[in-house]
Amino acid sequence: MKNKRNQRDGFQASPLEHRSYAAYFFGENFLWAFAGMLPTFITDIGLGAGIVATILLVPKIWDAVNDTIFGIVVDKVKLKSGQKFLPWMKIGTFSLGLTTILLFAIPSGISDGMKIAWVIISYILFDASYTMLDAPLFALPSAMTTNIQERTQILSNGRLFAMVGGMCAGLLIPVVRPKLGWLTTAIIIVVVSISAMIPLMLKGKERQTVADRNEPSISFKEMGIYLKTNNQLLIILLVMFIIGVTGVGAVLSIYVARICFGSESIASLLVIISALPALLVAALVPKLTEKFDKFDLFVVGLICSVVGGVLMFLTGFENIPLVICLTVLESVGYAAYNVIAYMFIADTVEYGTYKTGTRASGISFALQTFTAKLRAALVTSLSLFALGAIGFVSGENVVQPAGVAQGIWGIYTLLPALGSLIAILILIFFYKLRDNTVQVMAKYNMGEVTKEEAESALAEKFGQAAEVAAHNKD
């Protein structure tokens, strides 16, 4: 694969860049999985669980705000190199390593007040570092290549290795940490993770630089117009939010295992069964998108989620082998969401650029990250609220009232199915972009085809070409 511009494919990335991008995702999520054990570490050094829940609330509020702020910074700041994403990722990569070590270096002998201050300050720095690299990471493929199929391949491989990184951390950390302690384990995790992330810093290239696009500085007013006009971005963010906030499986799995199946160990089995389709779908997406539009693949996946969830509810939880089979079917929908949905954001960036003349990829991907964090916070509250509504009684080994098992089974199976069904309806009636139309827009945005040629191509492939062209700036 050559790094050059041509009339058919535009800019393309090298095979080494493909591998480096996947390795970066592996390292990022290997480290992120370890950072997820922070509450356990804080309680281990002597702070109570209630205090931990309270003090982590402040960083979480900052967490929800800083993504959008940073997206604005990315789109407004013009660096001398002309690059938009890699410079921020380089800073974020190494600061993430340092702040991770800082998080797990809290001495157990200092006062509780100092521990609390240390946690809040170090977590805010950690999260700022993560934001600095995460939003640009998702946006980077749009600057590496103008070929939509190649962009899909890069992103899907990244998501695949992200899941592999998380799974590896989940398998290795429980074995290593008890022997080496928190701080030593943190240092090892950081070294391994950063080593996997460095190749992209050295070999990654932004071929679509700010200079190439002749982008002026974006004002706040222009950003507002961009977001108002780019309805396709808002639709995808809404779909991602609905699927995520109704995806209660991860939160409720331990309760389902205890109450419905009578064994907490079943929770691990459910998680593994759900993860396997995600890995398979992520591995197959590049090949499948060569023959099928990713929109169609996404909708089919969500249909599998709806059918699997409804059948699981009707079957009941007594037949475990059948539940396992239906869990695999249901998980295909979540797998499609976890891999393909993120690719739509890059497509909406091209659409927004085509309509407004403004390429606000930074704010687009920052809003994606913000949406992900918001739904992750809300799904826990929604799950616990639903448990209370069906009469669930708190306490380990407590005998639950009659009807709780059936109630929790209904929530566990039907709520995700409902979310997927709503997402399907929104996509079918409101989301208009397809791979071939986005490719045309990308070529026009790069100056490879004229406005007239783009409009002519879209008139054949995209029913709303006239509407799109009407909003496009010369």
Side-chain angles (χ1 to χ4, degrees):
M1 191 178 295
K2 297 179 180 179
N3 301 327
K4 64 181 182 180
R5 182 202 295 258
N6 59 49
Q7 288 299 314
R8 192 173 71 88
D9 294 318
F11 288 125
Q12 293 180 292
S14 69
L16 180 58
E17 286 176 281
H18 281 240
R19 293 191 292 269
S20 299
Y21 189 84
Y24 192 98
F25 256 113
F26 173 90
E28 179 195 26
N29 281 267
F30 190 70
L31 189 150
W32 180 255
F34 177 70
M37 301 180 71
L38 179 64
T40 305
F41 164 70
I42 300 174
T43 56
D44 280 357
I45 61 173
L47 292 178
I51 296 176
V52 174
T54 303
I55 64 176
L56 286 180
L57 180 63
V58 175
K60 286 296 182 183
I61 293 174
W62 166 247
D63 188 15
V65 173
N66 70 5
D67 297 308
T68 305
I69 294 175
F70 182 70
I72 294 173
V73 171
V74 169
D75 283 327
K76 287 188 69 67
V77 174
K78 305 303 177 184
L79 303 173
K80 291 182 179 180
S81 65
Q83 295 180 329
K84 194 170 186 176
F85 308 117
L86 281 171
W88 296 110
M89 290 174 62
K90 290 175 182 178
I91 298 171
T93 297
F94 294 104
S95 62
L96 183 69
L98 293 175
T99 53
T100 300
I101 295 173
L102 182 65
L103 268 176
F104 290 91
I106 304 174
S108 59
I110 62 177
S111 68
D112 287 355
M114 291 184 65
K115 291 175 184 176
I116 292 171
W118 193 317
V119 170
I120 293 175
I121 295 172
S122 59
Y123 190 86
I124 288 176
L125 294 174
F126 167 85
D127 186 72
S129 300
Y130 187 81
T131 298
M132 198 178 298
L133 64 87
D134 192 56
L137 177 62
F138 280 99
L140 182 61
S142 65
M144 293 169 64
T145 175
T146 54
N147 184 277
I148 302 302
Q149 179 61 42
E150 184 183 16
R151 184 183 300 168
T152 297
Q153 183 178 27
I154 293 172
L155 284 167
S156 61
N157 287 341
R159 297 303 299 166
L160 171 62
F161 276 83
M163 288 182 279
V164 172
M167 291 180 65
C168 288
L171 291 172
L172 294 175
I173 292 172
V175 177
V176 174
R177 195 215 59 78
K179 297 178 180 179
L180 301 179
W182 285 106
L183 181 56
T184 302
T185 303
I187 294 172
I188 293 173
I189 293 293
V190 166
V191 170
V192 172
S193 299
I194 300 301
S195 297
M197 298 161 79
I198 285 177
L200 184 62
M201 302 296 93
L202 299 177
K203 301 298 182 181
K205 295 181 180 179
E206 290 188 45
R207 293 172 180 82
Q208 290 181 294
T209 64
V210 174
D212 291 331
R213 294 187 291 262
N214 192 29
E215 292 183 7
S217 179
I218 304 172
S219 67
F220 287 104
K221 180 179 179 180
E222 288 172 322
M223 284 184 182
I225 294 173
Y226 173 86
L227 292 176
K228 182 179 179 180
T229 305
N230 194 345
N231 62 327
Q232 300 297 288
L233 170 64
L234 300 179
I235 289 168
I236 284 299
L237 290 176
L238 177 61
V239 166
M240 295 174 74
F241 177 80
I242 291 173
I243 295 174
V245 82
T246 57
V248 298
V251 179
L252 294 182
S253 61
I254 190 169
Y255 298 102
V256 170
R258 288 176 177 176
I259 299 171
C260 297
F261 298 120
S263 173
E264 190 170 320
S265 62
I266 298 294
S268 298
L269 178 62
L270 293 174
V271 171
I272 293 172
I273 293 170
S274 300
L276 291 177
L279 293 174
L280 180 61
V281 169
L284 292 178
V285 161
K287 291 295 181 182
L288 291 174
T289 53
E290 292 177 2
K291 298 182 178 180
F292 307 100
D293 193 289
K294 60 177 176 285
F295 174 89
D296 298 327
L297 294 174
F298 192 34
V299 171
V300 169
L302 293 180
I303 292 174
C304 290
S305 180
V306 174
V307 173
V310 172
L311 290 179
M312 282 208 319
F313 172 74
L314 296 176
T315 300
F317 49 81
E318 292 82 4
N319 190 334
I320 294 181
L322 184 56
V323 168
I324 290 174
C325 294
L326 292 175
T327 298
V328 171
L329 176 62
E330 182 193 37
S331 298
V332 169
Y334 181 75
Y337 154 74
N338 197 41
V339 177
I340 299 176
Y342 294 91
M343 302 174 188
F344 289 136
I345 303 296
D347 291 350
T348 63
V349 170
E350 298 296 348
Y351 174 77
T353 307
Y354 188 87
K355 289 189 70 173
T356 67
T358 298
R359 193 176 188 88
S361 49
I363 188 64
S364 298
F365 282 94
L367 284 172
Q368 169 219 298
T369 305
F370 170 77
T371 303
K373 292 178 179 179
L374 179 62
R375 67 177 184 257
L378 292 179
V379 70
T380 301
S381 299
L382 177 62
S383 300
L384 296 176
F385 176 79
L387 285 179
I390 62 173
F392 172 81
V393 178
S394 299
E396 190 173 357
N397 299 321
V398 171
V399 177
Q400 297 295 331
V404 170
Q406 289 294 337
I408 194 173
W409 184 249
I411 298 169
Y412 179 76
T413 56
L414 294 182
L415 192 56
L418 177 62
S420 295
L421 178 60
I422 295 173
I424 291 171
L425 295 176
I426 293 174
L427 287 167
I428 290 176
F429 287 104
F430 299 104
Y431 189 72
K432 304 301 181 182
L433 300 182
R434 301 296 184 269
D435 289 345
N436 54 6
T437 60
V438 174
Q439 184 68 73
V440 172
M441 294 176 187
K443 291 191 175 206
Y444 172 76
N445 294 339
M446 280 299 299
E448 296 173 16
V449 297
T450 65
K451 181 178 180 179
E452 291 72 21
E453 290 172 332
E455 291 179 0
S456 175
L458 290 174
E460 297 177 3
K461 300 176 180 179
F462 190 27
Q464 295 187 353
E467 176 192 346
V468 174
H471 291 280
N472 185 51
K473 292 184 178 181
D474 292 331

